Every structure is written in structure tokens, then in C-alpha cells.
């Protein structure tokens, strides 16, 4: 016996049975039998089903016919509980409960008298047996194939897009509705054949056995290729033969699944490079750890940061930066092995997780390989770009047994690699933590240094060859640290750049240098003061307003303040840079290129930008034996372009004379003086006064407490 799909629940109108039962024994009756005898001769099939025993308790003549038997005794012998599916059994149990509330149900049922199917509309209500148990009082209206209900069912089955199929319990095909037939793959003979993953079928099979019902989303083979189907299955019977069967209904949810997959992909991947992202790494890492632990193996985590990527992004634009990152991702993929995981964390940071129980030597090889492939020049929009990585490495479980700690430690090691000169890799070691802590403490005291007045400018004299006197001073920053004493810029400028503190510090430098210049100027000492601009400061929108303030200060002559920038800030054709430089120039300030010769040494910058001074780097002056030809060339070019030349780092007489003989305009260096404090600078003015016709060589190198 099984329920069909037209299931209505209503309050019972036929209360007779129930009320009879409620009354218990009437005068002269013999319990339920007496009551049921009223139904003996009516033509409607009526029977009582004992839910607990799974047997017919009683049936009238008409009902015996339906059950294909001539004798009530024979019918009562039939145990139907065995052939009942768990779902039907469960449903009957529920009815038993509901009957207590006088509920009745009208449904289309298919009975299987002697195994043959017979479909009819039944009305079920409760009836209490003599022993007090609730049984089911059934009245049947026989349904014929031609009834509108049946016709409609058939029609629906023909036209629905839901794929409906019937299989034998062994999985052989019995029936497909048109929707199912249209997608059926020709090579699939058994139900199991249509599943792409055998495991999906096994799961379905298990659920069916357990509950008589199963629901699963799986990939299936169809005439249109592999699709995602939501599959519902239930144990049932073949309505024609009455044999046990599996009824399957399927809906194609491929589109939904695709959307879901795209969403999943986006959540776990980086859109630009297509590499997995941090979330992905977090998801899979536990599994990687577990696998490594089980095999007693190590995992290497490489934290990769591209050196000076920001420069490329700032000078050539983000479109070029993006292309570069895509190429880097590609190269990382090519240099890794199938099980390694490559992740883009964001910006120019990548992580590679080495997955094969990596020993240190193996990790080192891998890091070398990555360095090699990333250092090959990359051509983008006719620019030949050269990049290099700094790689920090942490090892599971030695350096941490969770992702956060491993990442932190690899990050620290990466900073160590940067400090060590970039384009290298570095394994994490515990002392790096201490360094990081010192750094943090340093950053926090740097934060307060401006307000606490801990900065001071030292000045290094610039001497004119022609005039034999001090004509300028380069302002060089010093930090009077509360516990560490006087610190040179090498110890904190990098940190100030990274933390952004260079902006307020740089602003202070400009204002203080200008103040000092005007103080000297007021005392009749007419010299130029030059200040150094850092790349971040140069890019900051706060720069122009700051120097505007200086330009507008009463009595200040902007031509007495030079701003030193480096070549790296000029790379590329950035209109923004041209505009900014022009603006500075138009306000009356002079611009100088600092450290010329250490970077790209591109003299065309001198034509393209409003540059009035070029400072030849100390490394050139130091090694004149090797660099004299190029230095001479630079000097003559500058003369043609009417750009003044300052030689830096002049430490001896030989250098001095050589530079003078080639027509270099000015020099600065320890030979004349180290950078000194403003009060210590005053004697230079006195001496220059006395040097009008004198010889510059009379300036003796001064020993000062300052600088280097
Ligand atoms: P720089 O602009 O190239 O400054 C010249 C550096 O060379 C100074 O080092 C100076 O003391 C040193 N020097 C000068 N003559 C000689 C010499 O004959 N021999 C040798 N060996 N060294 C010499 P310092 O003061 O330590 O400054 C280092 C760098 O820090 C500067 O290099 C500059 O890039 C940066 N810096 C200094 N002050 C500032 C500042 O206010 N803002 C910014 N952004 N950077 C600054
Ligand atoms: Ca400088
Ligand atoms: Ca310099």
C-alpha cells in the first residue's frame, strides 16, 4: 500500500465510526464488530486496517473484491508490513496520531492486492479497536484510468520539464518521461552509469536503503554532456506490475551551479592574476598541516615581495603595474610544482606554499629558482622592466604551527631580506622578532620626535671653485634620540618612509631650512640651502602647499632654497611629475638631481624637466680612476645644457684638483667639512669673507662631532 500525490487533510465528516467507538459498548452489542456489521452490505468498499499489525482487520464484501479474495479470514492472514516502504509505514504512524484529533484524509492510493496495483481514491479516518488501539477506517472510491485525475497526471508527466524515471531496485531502466528521455545519455544503461562520480551514486543508494528517500546534487552524464542535476529518489512500486521500483525525479541546476561556482571562485581567487587568495589559503591550510603532520614532514612558506614595485606603478602607471603582476603570477606558476600553492595576498605580495615535505635545501633551491625567473627582464609596452623579489621563509612546524604565526615570521624574514640588500631570500630566525620589536619602538618614538623638537638640521658647506668660497649648504637631518643619542638619517629615514612619518618630518625640514637660510641672509650671509626630498614626500599632496608657504613668507627669496630629488622619482612619462616640477620651478625654487650616477644616469632628464643643478654621486668621485671618462662627459653635458654641477664626497686634494680642472662648479665633502650644526657653520662665513682672493686649499678639513 502506498500514498500517491494528491494528499488532502480535512476534518472528518464521517464521525459515526468514531462516535460509536467513543460510546464503548452499547446495549446488546459486541463492540466494534457490531458497529461494522452496518457496513456489510453497502456497495462502497470499506475496511479497517490495523496499522500496528500491518494487516486488514476487517473488510466488507466490496472491499474483499478489491483485495482480490473471497474470504475475510484469508485477507486477515496477509501480513502487509513487509512490503510497506519505510515512508509509508511512517506516514501511517503519523495518521494514527492525527486520527486522535478526529482528522480524516482523502488521498489517491495505489494498493497492491496480491502484488497487482489498483489505484483508488480513499477516505481514511480513525476507529478505535476493542483493545483501545487506533486503527484506520478506509472507504474506497475506485479510480479508473480515464478519471480526470489520472488523465491530468499523465498530461503533467508528459509536459513537465522535471525529468522523471523509474528504475528497478537493481538500477535497470523501466520508464522515462519525455523530459528524462530527451537528456538520457545513450551509453547509460544502469542508474549508476549516469553518475560522473561513483561516490554520488553510492551515497544516493545508501540514503535510499536507510530512509526510502534520497536527495542529492550531482554531476551526471547526459545527451548534452555533463550537467549538474538535483536528484530526488524514493522507493516505490511500478504502477503496472506492482514490483518494487525506484522513482527518480531530476532537475537540471547547471546554471545555478555555475553562478555558485563563479561566486565561489571569486571569493577564493584574486581577480587580476587568477591566483588563489588569502581566504583560499586559510581554507586549505588545516588540511595541509594535517597531511604534513601525519607524514612527519615539513612545509615551506615563502613570502615574496617585489623590490621597488611601487616605483614602477607610480612612474609607468597602474596598467603597466597590473601587467607586470600578471606576468609575475605566470612565472611563479611555471616555476612551481603541481602541488605547490601560489597565492597573491594583494599588491605586490605573493605566498608560495611548498607542499612536499620540503627540507631546507629544497626550499632554498625553490627560492633560488623563483629569484632567477623573476629577475629575467619583462617587456611591457616597449618598456624593458627589471624586477627582483625579496623572499622571507618560514617552515612548518619549526617556525609556527598556525598560518598567522607562519605568515608573520615569513614577513619578518622578508624584511630581513630587504634590509640585507633585496633580491635575496632569508629564513626566519628568532632574533628577527626582537629586531621587529625594536623597529616598532623606534617607530613610536619617531612619531613624537617632531612634536618633542628632537630633530636638528646639520649643514654641509658647498664650496664654489670659481669664487673660492662657501656658497651653499646642504641641510642634513639628525635626530637627537632621547636614549640612543644623535642618529644619522640612515638609521630612521627608511622607517619614516615606510610609516608615512616622512611627510610631517619632511615638512619640518623644509620650514626649518628656510628659516635658517633667512636668518643667515639677514645677517648678510648670502648662501643657498638645499634640502633633500624623499620619494614619498615628493608624491604627497602636502608638498606643494608647504613650499608655497615658504615662497610666500615675507622677505624670503625662493631662489635661495634648492630641492634635491633623485632620478628614480623622475622615471617614466608621468605628466603629473612634469606638472609638479614646473609648479615648483615657477615658484622660483631650484631643483637639483641628487646622487647622479647611482641610478639610471639618464641625461635626457635634464632636458625634459626644469632641473638647474646636478649632483655627481660620491661613488663616482671616490673612484675617479675608473669613472673619469664618464664623469668628464657628464660635466661637459651639463655645461652645454647650462646646468650647474656639484661634486659630492670630495675627500682629498687629488679629487678636488681633478674636478676643478674639468670645470666642475662646486663641491662638498669631508675634505672641506663634514656636516655641522648651524652654530658651527658660522665660522665658514667668517672665513669666506677673508678668502676673497685667497686660496680655497686654506680651508682645512674640520674635525667635527657631527654626521657619519
Ligand atoms: P645625501 O643627500 O647623498 O647626503 C650626503 C651624505 O653624504 C650625507 O650623509 C653626508 O654626511 C655624506 N657625506 C658628505 N660628504 C662626504 C664625504 O666626503 N665622504 C663621505 N663618506 N660621506 C660624505 P648623511 O647626513 O648621513 O645623509 C645620508 C642621506 O640621508 C642623504 O644622502 C640623504 O639621502 C638622506 N637625508 C639626509 N637628510 C635628509 C632629509 O632631511 N630628508 C630626506 N628625505 N632625506 C635626507
Ligand atoms: Ca642630498
Ligand atoms: Ca647625494
Amino acid at each position: 500500500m502506498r500514498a500517491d500525490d494528491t494528499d488532502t487533510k480535512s476534518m472528518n465528516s464521517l464521525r459515526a465510526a468514531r462516535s460509536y467507538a467513543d460510546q464503548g459498548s452499547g446495549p446488546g452489542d459486541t463492540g466494534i464488530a457490531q458497529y461494522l456489521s452496518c457496513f456489510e452490505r453497502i456497495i462502497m468498499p470499506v475496511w479497517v486496517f490495523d496499522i500496528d499489525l500491518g494487516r486488514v482487520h476487517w473488510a466488507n464484501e466490496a472491499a474483499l473484491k478489491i483485495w482480490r479474495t473471497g474470504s475475510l479470514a484469508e485477507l486477515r492472514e496477509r501480513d502487509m508490513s513487509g512490503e510497506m516502504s519505510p515512508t509509508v509505514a511512517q506516514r501511517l504512524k503519523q495518521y494514527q496520531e492525527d486520527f486522535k484529533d478526529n482528522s480524516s484524509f482523502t488521498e489517491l492510493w495505489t494498493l497492491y492486492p496480491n502484488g497487482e496495483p489498483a489505484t483508488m481514491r480513499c477516505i481514511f479516518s480513525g476507529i478505535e479497536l476493542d483493545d483501545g488501539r487506533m486503527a484506520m477506517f478506509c472507504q474506497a472510491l475506485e479510480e479508473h484510468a480515464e478519471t480526470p485525475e489520472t488523465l491530468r497526471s499523465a498530461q503533467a508527466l508528459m509536459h513537465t520539464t522535471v525529468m522523471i524515471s523509474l528504475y528497478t531496485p537493481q538500477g535497470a531502466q523501466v520508464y522515462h518521461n519525455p523530459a528524462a528521455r530527451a537528456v538520457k545519455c545513450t551509453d547509460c544503461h544502469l542508474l549508476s552509469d549516469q553518475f560522473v562520480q561513483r561516490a554520488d551514486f553510492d551515497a544516493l543508494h545508501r540514503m535510499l536503503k536507510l530512509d526510502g528517500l534520497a536527495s542529492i546534487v550531482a554531476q551526471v552524464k547526459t545527451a548534452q554532456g555533463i550537467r549538474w542535476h538535483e536528484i530526488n529518489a524514493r522507493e516505490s512500486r511500478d504502477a503496472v506490475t506492482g514490483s518494487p521500483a525506484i522513482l527518480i525525479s531530476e532537475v537540471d541546476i547547471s546554471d545555478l551551479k555555475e553562478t555558485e561556482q563563479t561566486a565561489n571562485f571569486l571569493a577564493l581567487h584574486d581577480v587580476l592574476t587568477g591566483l588563489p587568495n588569502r581566504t583560499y589559503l586559510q581554507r586549505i591550510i588545516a588540511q595541509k598541516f594535517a597531511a604534513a603532520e601525519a607524514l612527519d614532514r615539513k612545509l615551506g612558506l615563502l613570502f615574496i615581495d617585489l623590490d621597488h614595485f611601487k616605483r614602477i606603478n607610480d612612474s609607468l602607471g597602474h596598467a603597466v603595474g597590473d601587467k607586470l603582476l600578471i606576468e609575475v603570477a605566470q612565472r611563479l606558476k611555471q616555476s612551481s610544482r603541481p602541488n605547490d600553492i601560489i597565492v597573491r595576498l594583494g599588491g605586490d605580495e605573493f605566498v608560495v606554499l611548498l607542499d612536499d615535505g620540503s627540507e631546507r635545501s629544497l626550499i632554498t633551491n625553490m627560492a633560488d629558482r623563483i629569484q632567477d625567473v623573476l629577475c629575467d627582464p619583462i617587456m611591457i609596452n616597449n618598456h624593458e622592466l627589471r624586477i627582483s623579489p625579496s623572499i622571507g621563509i618560514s617552515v612548518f612546524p619549526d617556525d609556527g604551527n598556525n598560518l598567522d604565526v607562519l605568515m608573520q615570521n615569513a614577513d619578518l624574514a622578508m624584511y630581513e631580506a630587504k634590509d640585507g640588500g633585496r633580491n635575496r631570500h632569508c629564513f626566519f630566525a628568532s632574533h628577527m622578532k626582537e629586531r621587529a620589536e625594536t623597529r616598532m619602538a623606534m617607530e613610536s618614538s619617531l612619531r613624537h620626535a617632531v612634536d618633542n623638537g628632537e630633530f636638528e638640521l646639520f649643514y654641509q658647506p658647498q664650496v664654489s671653485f670659481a669664487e673660492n668660497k662657501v656658497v651653499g649648504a646642504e641641510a642634513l637631518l639628525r635626530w637627537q634620540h632621547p636614549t640612543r643619542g644623535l642618529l644619522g638619517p640612515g638609521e630612521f629615514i627608511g622607517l619614516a618612509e615606510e610609516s608615512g612619518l616622512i611627510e610631517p618630518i619632511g615638512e619640518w625640514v623644509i620650514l626649518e631650512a628656510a628659516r635658517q637660510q633667512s636668518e643667515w641672509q639677514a645677517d648678510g650671509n648670502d648662501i643657498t640651502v638645499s634640502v633633500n626630498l624623499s620619494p614619498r614626500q615628493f608624491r604627497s599632496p602636502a608638498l606643494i602647499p608647504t613650499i608655497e608657504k615658504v615662497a610666500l613668507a615675507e622677505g624670503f627669496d625662493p631662489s635661495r632654497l634648492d630641492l634635491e630629488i633623485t632620478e628614480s622619482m623622475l622615471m617614466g612619462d608621468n605628466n603629473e611629475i612634469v606638472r609638479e616640477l614646473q609648479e615648483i620651478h615657477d615658484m622660483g625654487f631650484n631643483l637639483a638631481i641628487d646622487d647622479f650616477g647611482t641610478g639610471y644616469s639618464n641625461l635626457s632628464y635634464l632636458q625634459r624637466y626644469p632641473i638647474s643643478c646636478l649632483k655627481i654621486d660620491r661613488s663616482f668621485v671616490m673612484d675617479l680612476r675608473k669613472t673619469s671618462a664618464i664623469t668628464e662627459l657628464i660635466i661637459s653635458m651639463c655645461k652645454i645644457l647650462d646646468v650647474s654641477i656639484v661634486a659630492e664626497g670630495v675627500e682629498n686634494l687629488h679629487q678636488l684638483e681633478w674636478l676643478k680642472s674639468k670645470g666642475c662648479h662646486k663641491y662638498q665633502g669631508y675634505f672641506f667639512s663634514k656636516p655641522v650644526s648651524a652654530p658651527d657653520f658660522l665660522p665658514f662665513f667668517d672665513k669666506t669673507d677673508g678668502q676673497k682672493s685667497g686660496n680655497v686649499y686654506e680651508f682645512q678639513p674640520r674635525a667635527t662631532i657631527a654626521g657619519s
Side-chain angles (χ1 to χ4, degrees):
M1 188 149 75
R2 81 179 176 88
D4 234 313
D5 38 15
T6 55
D7 180 352
T8 52
K9 181 175 173 184
S10 65
M11 285 306 286
N12 186 8
S13 54
L14 199 146
R15 291 243 167 93
R18 173 91 198 156
S19 47
Y20 165 81
D22 284 344
Q23 287 160 16
S25 43
D29 65 24
T30 51
I32 190 172
Q34 172 75 28
Y35 167 72
L36 291 172
S37 63
C38 312
F39 297 100
E40 283 291 359
R41 273 165 299 166
I42 66 164
I43 52 167
M44 178 193 251
V46 171
W47 70 97
V48 172
F49 187 73
D50 187 329
I51 296 170
D52 300 317
L53 301 181
R55 284 166 198 261
V56 172
H57 174 81
W58 176 87
N60 71 357
E61 282 291 327
L64 290 179
K65 275 204 196 99
I66 283 185
W67 287 104
R68 312 266 198 275
T69 181
S71 120
L72 178 62
E74 191 274 328
L75 182 58
R76 288 177 69 147
E77 280 307 300
R78 294 187 197 166
D79 179 0
M80 301 178 191
S81 59
E83 61 194 56
M84 214 179 280
S85 80
T87 4
V88 170
Q90 204 180 353
R91 195 152 168 184
L92 290 180
K93 281 279 171 219
Q94 186 57 51
Y95 286 172
Q96 206 174 21
E97 280 303 306
D98 295 342
F99 289 151
K100 289 181 189 158
D101 302 329
N102 276 348
S103 294
S104 83
F105 305 91
T106 306
E107 288 176 351
L108 201 63
W109 277 66
T110 305
L111 306 180
Y112 296 91
N114 295 331
E116 281 169 48
T119 302
M120 61 205 72
R121 181 159 296 283
C122 295
I123 304 166
F124 303 124
S125 55
I127 181 164
E128 207 170 298
L129 299 178
D130 289 341
D131 57 11
R133 290 182 303 109
M134 186 60 79
M136 187 157 87
F137 186 78
C138 315
Q139 309 164 65
L141 312 148
E142 203 154 353
E143 292 275 337
H144 299 285
E146 308 81 46
T147 60
E149 208 67 51
T150 321
L151 284 174
R152 285 188 191 121
S153 303
Q155 185 82 352
L157 204 61
M158 297 301 278
H159 293 291
T160 178
T161 55
V162 179
M163 297 157 266
I164 295 168
S165 320
L166 203 65
Y167 291 88
T168 67
Q170 290 71 39
Q173 301 170 23
V174 178
Y175 166 80
H176 295 294
N177 77 342
R181 223 176 300 133
V183 302
K184 208 187 92 54
C185 87
T186 38
D187 302 335
C188 302
H189 303 294
L190 292 175
L191 174 59
S192 57
D193 292 342
Q194 79 173 82
F195 287 84
V196 174
Q197 306 290 342
R198 174 74 201 194
D200 286 336
F201 171 75
D202 290 342
L204 184 90
H205 190 69
R206 251 194 327 272
M207 281 187 260
L208 262 179
K209 275 201 133 164
L210 216 63
D211 303 328
L213 269 179
S215 184
I216 196 170
V217 171
Q219 279 185 297
V220 294
K221 297 171 209 160
T222 73
Q224 288 75 37
I226 289 175
R227 308 285 294 173
W228 283 99
H229 280 189
E230 184 186 313
I231 303 170
N232 283 293
R234 59 153 84 176
E235 277 181 349
S236 105
R237 277 177 185 277
D238 177 355
V240 178
T241 63
S243 319
I246 303 170
L247 181 73
I248 302 252
S249 62
E250 287 168 80
V251 182
D252 190 321
I253 55 157
S254 300
D255 292 347
L256 207 79
K257 206 69 191 167
E258 226 166 75
T259 323
E260 182 188 309
Q261 276 172 338
T262 315
N264 269 342
F265 185 86
L266 290 179
L268 297 177
H269 291 78
D270 165 47
V271 183
L272 179 68
T273 60
L275 289 179
N277 61 14
R278 187 191 291 265
T279 315
Y280 176 85
L281 186 61
Q282 281 161 341
R283 286 238 182 126
I284 55 116
I285 196 75
Q287 192 188 322
K288 293 278 175 190
F289 286 162
E293 244 161 11
L295 298 167
D296 196 19
R297 291 172 135 188
K298 294 180 192 298
L299 290 177
L301 189 141
L302 276 56
F303 193 112
I304 304 171
D305 185 285
L306 305 180
D307 299 330
H308 304 303
F309 173 73
K310 217 170 158 25
R311 267 189 210 165
I312 293 177
N313 230 2
D314 288 340
S315 55
L316 302 179
H318 287 264
V320 172
D322 283 356
K323 281 188 187 156
L324 182 81
L325 290 172
I326 292 169
E327 176 64 23
V328 166
Q330 205 55 38
R331 290 184 183 193
L332 286 175
K333 262 194 267 183
Q334 279 160 6
S335 62
S336 65
R337 295 151 309 170
N339 286 338
D340 296 339
I341 293 169
I342 303 161
V343 167
R344 179 175 174 223
L345 293 180
D348 61 342
E349 290 179 347
F350 296 84
V351 160
V352 176
L353 186 74
L354 300 178
D355 180 36
D356 58 349
S358 326
E359 285 306 325
R360 276 185 190 243
S361 59
L362 221 144
I363 299 175
T364 304
N365 288 345
M366 202 55 197
D368 285 340
R369 194 147 100 205
I370 288 174
Q371 254 165 272
D372 284 348
V373 299
L374 293 189
C375 285
D376 269 349
I378 301 176
M379 282 300 292
I380 292 171
N381 301 356
N382 292 326
H383 293 281
E384 191 189 87
L385 302 178
R386 285 173 188 275
I387 51 154
S388 60
S390 293
I391 304 175
I393 304 167
S394 61
V395 178
F396 169 88
D398 309 358
D399 302 329
N401 56 9
N402 70 63
L403 185 62
D404 287 346
V405 173
L406 283 173
M407 293 272 273
Q408 258 167 34
N409 290 343
D411 191 36
L412 287 175
M414 191 274 290
Y415 270 104
E416 196 78 4
K418 292 248 182 217
D419 283 351
R422 303 170 196 268
N423 191 18
R424 64 196 57 217
H425 64 259
C426 202
F427 279 89
F428 168 75
S430 52
H431 69 81
M432 294 174 192
K433 256 198 191 129
E434 289 142 36
R435 275 194 53 166
E437 279 155 17
T438 316
R439 235 178 130 82
M440 267 169 65
M442 183 92 161
E443 189 182 317
S444 110
S445 47
L446 192 58
R447 210 166 276 284
H448 304 109
V450 172
D451 295 339
N452 295 350
E454 291 168 6
F455 288 119
E456 185 179 352
L457 288 182
F458 273 38
Y459 295 89
Q460 185 174 42
Q462 292 177 337
V463 183
S464 154
F465 282 110
E467 298 171 67
N468 280 337
K469 67 170 189 177
V470 172
V471 291
E474 177 174 6
L476 293 157
L477 187 59
R478 300 291 181 267
W479 179 14
Q480 193 64 56
H481 190 276
T483 55
R484 297 177 55 194
L486 192 68
L487 302 179
E491 306 210 45
F492 61 88
I493 286 281
L495 190 58
E497 265 273 320
E498 272 168 36
S499 59
L501 288 168
I502 193 68
E503 293 185 19
I505 294 172
E507 179 176 338
W508 179 85
V509 169
I510 293 173
L511 297 177
E512 171 57 16
R515 190 202 60 74
Q516 185 63 69
Q517 198 285 331
S518 49
E519 185 185 310
W520 285 333
Q521 188 82 40
D523 292 342
N525 301 310
D526 176 21
I527 64 160
T528 338
V529 171
S530 53
V531 295
N532 293 282
L533 295 187
S534 85
R536 181 152 182 177
Q537 192 184 358
F538 187 63
R539 286 194 305 269
S540 157
L543 177 67
I544 296 289
T546 304
I547 57 171
E548 224 161 24
K549 194 153 113 190
V550 172
L552 296 174
E554 203 175 328
F556 186 79
D557 178 359
S559 73
R560 289 293 173 265
L561 190 71
D562 291 358
L563 301 173
E564 296 186 8
I565 56 176
T566 57
E567 266 183 284
S568 63
M569 304 185 204
L570 301 177
M571 236 178 77
D573 310 304
N574 202 326
N575 292 333
E576 188 71 10
I577 298 176
V578 181
R579 218 177 36 75
E580 189 168 342
L581 292 177
Q582 196 58 50
E583 210 170 328
I584 294 172
H585 179 78
D586 292 347
M587 282 190 257
F589 297 96
N590 288 315
L591 285 159
I593 293 191
D594 201 3
D595 304 339
F596 193 82
T598 54
Y600 306 84
S601 309
N602 190 340
L603 284 165
S604 72
Y605 292 138
L606 300 178
Q607 283 169 298
R608 227 185 305 163
Y609 303 116
I611 306 289
S612 50
C613 175
L614 185 141
K615 300 184 74 174
I616 301 176
D617 191 64
R618 187 164 65 91
S619 56
F620 271 52
V621 175
M622 219 160 58
D623 214 1
L624 280 176
R625 256 172 315 170
K626 278 194 204 142
T627 59
S628 59
I630 174 95
T631 310
E632 210 176 327
L633 182 80
I634 294 171
I635 294 173
S636 33
M637 276 297 292
C638 284
K639 282 190 180 153
I640 294 167
L641 296 168
D642 197 22
V643 167
S644 83
I645 315 145
V646 179
E648 296 188 291
V650 176
E651 295 187 352
N652 60 48
L653 196 57
H654 166 74
Q655 294 164 340
L656 186 82
E657 286 181 330
W658 190 88
L659 289 161
K660 191 179 180 190
S661 72
K662 299 299 167 201
C664 179
H665 300 121
K666 295 178 241 178
Y667 76 92
Q668 60 185 89
Y670 290 175
F671 181 73
F672 184 79
S673 169
K674 285 190 172 180
V676 296
S677 67
D680 286 343
F681 200 87
L682 291 174
F684 296 127
F685 300 128
D686 299 336
K687 285 202 174 178
T688 49
D689 285 340
Q691 288 293 318
K692 287 215 167 69
S693 58
N695 189 331
V696 76
Y697 304 149
E698 284 175 20
F699 291 118
Q700 289 305 307
R702 282 175 56 111
T704 69
I705 45 142
S708 64

